[in-house]
Structures are given as C-alpha cells and as structure tokens.
Amino acid sequence: MDNGMDTRRTTRALATEAVHAGRDDLAGLGLHAPPIDLSTTYPSHDSRAEAARIDAFATTGAEPDGPPVYGRLGNPTVARFETALARLEGTESAVAFASGMAALSAVLLVRGSMGLRHVVAVRPLYGCSDHLLTAGLLGSEVTWTDPAGVADALRPDTGLVLVESPANPTLAEIDLRAVAHACGSVPLLVDNTFATPVLQRPAEQGARLVLHSATKYLGGHGDVLAGVVACDEEFAGKLRQVRFATGGVLHPLAGYLLLRGLSTLPVRVRAASANAAELAARLAADPRVSRVHYPRIGGAMVAFEVHGDPHAVIAGVRLITPAVSLGSVDSLIQHPASISHRIVDADDRRDAGVSDRLLRLSVGLEDIEDLWTDLDQALGTPARRPARTEAAARG
C-alpha cells in the first residue's frame, strides 16, 4: 500500500517530526487533520492486477503499490502512524499490531520460521514478555543472562537477543551499544517502551528491532491498545506477512489515536519526567522509603521500595490511580509482584531485583505538590516534608 509518504530519515528535530511525520501529504490533499479510513475491504475491477499485487506481497511482504486491498493486509490510517513512528525512531519502517505482546509474538514467529528459535534475554523484562519466553508458548527456548554474558550465550540457532532498557519494573539500564556489539549478526531487539524515542533511539546504538507497547507513552491517554516494531524494511516485510497470516492487526481508530498521541509525545514525556525526577528526589530523602530506582536517562517512571506494607500504599492513594499499565497523562501506581510480574516465578522475580516491597509509579502531568501530598499520606505516618527542591522551583 503506497501512502505517498517518505519514511527516510530527515534532519528535522524530533519535536517537529512528532507533529508532522505521517501527515506530510495532508496539505496536498486539501486536509488539515488526518482522515480515518474504517474500510475493511476495497473495490478493484482489475482482478489480474490484484493477483499480481498479492503475489508480490507473498514474496517480500512489501506494502502493495496502489490503492489498499484488504484491512488485514494494511490500512491507510495505520500506515500514517507507522510512518511517523519509524521517523521518530530513525528506522526505515515500522509495523503496528493489536498489542505489544502481538508485536513481540510476531518477531518470535519470524525468527522461528527460519529455524532460529533460541532467544537470549536479559532480566528483568515486562512480566508477560518473560512468561512468553519462559513458557515456550511459541516454540522458543530462552537462555537468561546478564548483559556481560550475551556473547557467550549465543548458539547457532539463536534468532534474537532481547533486552529492555530502562527495564520494567526496576528501571535498570543497559549499555545498548555494548550489547549490540556482543550480538554479532544476531538481531538485537530493544523494548523502548519506557524511554520512548524522546529519551533514546536504540537503532542508533546498534539495535535492529525496537519494540513499543504503544498502549503506553505513544498513545499517552490510556485509551488505546497497540504495539509496534520499528526496524529495517527487510524485517518489516516479514512482520507484515506474519501479521497478515495471524490477524494481529491494529484497528484504524487506534492508529488515528496513536498518530495524534505522537504529536504531543515530546512535550508529555519531558513534563512528566520533570515531575518524576522531583518525586524521586523526595522519595529518596524520605525515611519511610528504603530505596529509589530512577534511570540516568530520566523518564517518567519511578520505582521505590518501602519499609512498611506496599499494599497499604496502594490502598491509600486517592489522586494517583492504583492500576496496571503506565504512560498516561495521569499518574498510576502498582505493585509489580502482585500484578505485572505475578506471572514470573517468585525466585526469578527476586533475582531480577523485583522485591516484594517494590512499587512502580508512572508519573503523569498533575501538579507536583498534589502528587507529593497524595504519596505522603499514602506512605503512612507523615514524615517531615522535604523542602521544595530546585527542580520543583523550575516547574
């Protein structure tokens, strides 16, 4: 499907790309807002030409030239989001799916179809990603290692190296360039959900595949479920073929909401990150908190361990929403050992640094003083409130 949009890298700044990528053709169409194409099928009176286009897709997975064919093969609205995300991540292409797990499953199926079912992975990962690999639900076999052990863990049948940085939920960071070098010819997949392209672009550090649960920061408003893989066009073609065969397609309305979400992504991430940095500093100074995890690259996620009962904190918040997921404009808090990482074996959780007293906080755009007041009362016996820091004074 030719949407008439150039996916090549440009010299435009990230903030500019976030607003304009995927929309470059609108003025020529006489439009300002992107249209939503809800069609599941499209008319074609030339069945010979249609057969040729389908044959071409079956061979390479490239998007068919000309008008759309069928909703499972591709959709113009979703293609706009894919174009924009590829531009933001600095890759040739991107392929969107119905969820982040559908996107990861498609990558595993592509490599597995080539007889490369072995995966080298570094914990912690998102709990369901961990479970998908450990349980071998798609026929994969996993070797868990630390970043320094990646090269030694590779085998002739290794099809993928998978890392998440900052990691869910401990926010541990990995030297992506070093890991990419250790991978050799094996593709490195980096889950970039927490960082987003605002904070890091893994493809620039050697990753071949960049995964997002687009449900989180890319959508940004808690109202869309999606996943996407940014990659080179060769791998994108294989992903499209798997998507067509398995049906894990993204709904056009979700594609529209994601494209709209990208336009404010830099602003949202930077504002929420400023809030998160301030909360991390206050929590680190609070005697009720034993440890705070906050990435060097920044971001809107904070993890912290409490001396008291973490479940009491979850039950005590009033402004912050106790809920799974992250990356919305409002703040969310959850207990990973009970929810997002419950499916991971308890010993494996603890070995990866996911303690039973760890709480994960997705910081939103609320006023910092209101957020701190809510956390302060939820933590129990009030501590002396830290003095307003320089970060808060800067707003």
Side-chain angles (χ1 to χ4, degrees):
M1 180 170 51
D2 183 6
N3 56 27
M5 289 177 289
D6 186 0
T7 61
R8 294 174 298 179
R9 300 184 189 187
T10 74
T11 57
R12 298 194 300 198
L14 182 83
T16 303
E17 290 287 27
V19 173
H20 290 279
R23 306 167 180 83
D24 296 310
D25 63 329
L26 293 182
L29 297 173
L31 299 173
H32 182 243
I36 305 175
D37 187 332
L38 295 174
S39 297
T40 58
T41 192
Y42 300 85
S44 174
H45 295 282
D46 189 344
S47 56
R48 290 186 180 87
E50 208 74 331
R53 292 204 298 157
I54 292 173
D55 286 347
F57 176 83
T59 302
T60 66
E63 294 180 303
D65 293 329
V69 179
Y70 181 59
R72 189 153 45 85
L73 199 65
N75 171 271
T77 305
V78 172
R80 290 182 180 277
F81 163 66
E82 293 172 330
T83 295
L85 193 277
R87 294 271 280 271
L88 291 180
E89 283 290 3
T91 59
E92 289 181 323
S93 302
V95 183
F97 295 86
S99 70
M101 291 308 301
L104 176 57
S105 296
V107 172
L108 294 174
L109 289 171
V110 166
R111 300 304 281 167
S113 69
M114 302 169 68
L116 303 171
R117 293 183 172 84
H118 179 242
V119 178
V120 175
V122 176
R123 280 189 172 119
L125 294 174
Y126 169 52
C128 289
S129 300
D130 189 308
H131 177 66
L132 180 65
L133 295 175
T134 303
L137 295 174
L138 297 179
S140 57
E141 177 188 350
V142 62
T143 297
W144 297 101
T145 184
D146 58 31
V150 166
D152 291 338
L154 299 178
R155 305 187 329 204
D157 63 338
T158 302
L160 191 70
V161 175
L162 173 58
V163 302
E164 184 175 3
S165 181
N168 186 353
T170 66
L171 305 177
E173 294 174 89
I174 292 173
D175 184 338
L176 298 180
R177 195 176 301 278
V179 172
H181 182 266
C183 290
S185 61
V186 176
L188 170 63
L189 184 152
V190 175
D191 188 329
N192 203 34
T193 299
F194 277 22
T196 80
V198 177
L199 300 179
Q200 72 179 9
R201 307 213 306 179
E204 294 177 347
Q205 301 179 56
R208 185 178 181 188
L209 308 165
V210 182
L211 173 71
H212 286 272
S213 172
T215 307
K216 301 350 189 247
Y217 290 103
L218 303 189
H221 294 76
D223 56 7
V224 59
L225 194 70
V228 63
V229 178
C231 56
D232 57 79
E233 175 55 27
E234 180 185 0
F235 205 100
K238 295 180 174 64
L239 289 173
R240 293 187 198 104
Q241 290 175 322
V242 168
R243 183 177 63 181
F244 176 72
T246 60
V249 296
L250 184 66
H251 192 275
L253 181 57
Y256 172 84
L257 291 172
L258 287 167
L259 183 64
R260 188 173 68 172
L262 288 184
S263 65
T264 60
L265 178 67
V267 177
R268 287 186 287 103
V269 168
R270 288 165 183 153
S273 297
N275 274 350
E278 174 61 20
L279 289 179
R282 295 190 185 192
L283 289 167
D286 196 302
R288 296 166 295 183
V289 176
S290 61
R291 188 178 182 187
V292 174
H293 307 257
Y294 188 67
R296 288 188 301 268
I297 65 169
M301 300 297 299
V302 179
F304 60 99
E305 299 171 43
V306 295
H307 289 296
D309 181 4
H311 301 285
V313 179
I314 295 292
V317 292
R318 295 294 178 264
L319 175 66
I320 299 168
T321 302
V324 72
S325 199
L326 56 108
S328 185
V329 291
D330 60 316
S331 298
L332 308 175
I333 192 169
Q334 65 117 339
H335 182 241
S338 296
I339 305 182
S340 64
H341 289 70
R342 187 69 180 177
I343 201 168
V344 180
D345 179 80
D347 289 336
D348 291 336
R349 280 201 312 265
R350 297 186 189 102
D351 289 345
V354 186
S355 79
D356 291 340
R357 293 183 182 273
L358 181 75
L359 293 167
R360 192 192 73 188
L361 176 63
S362 171
V363 183
L365 303 180
E366 300 93 340
D367 181 82
I368 187 65
E369 297 301 336
D370 290 333
L371 288 172
W372 176 249
T373 296
D374 195 38
L375 274 178
D376 188 23
Q377 60 84 26
L379 283 166
T381 305
R384 182 178 66 83
R385 176 169 296 193
R388 187 172 174 85
T389 68
E390 182 182 353
R394 291 196 304 264

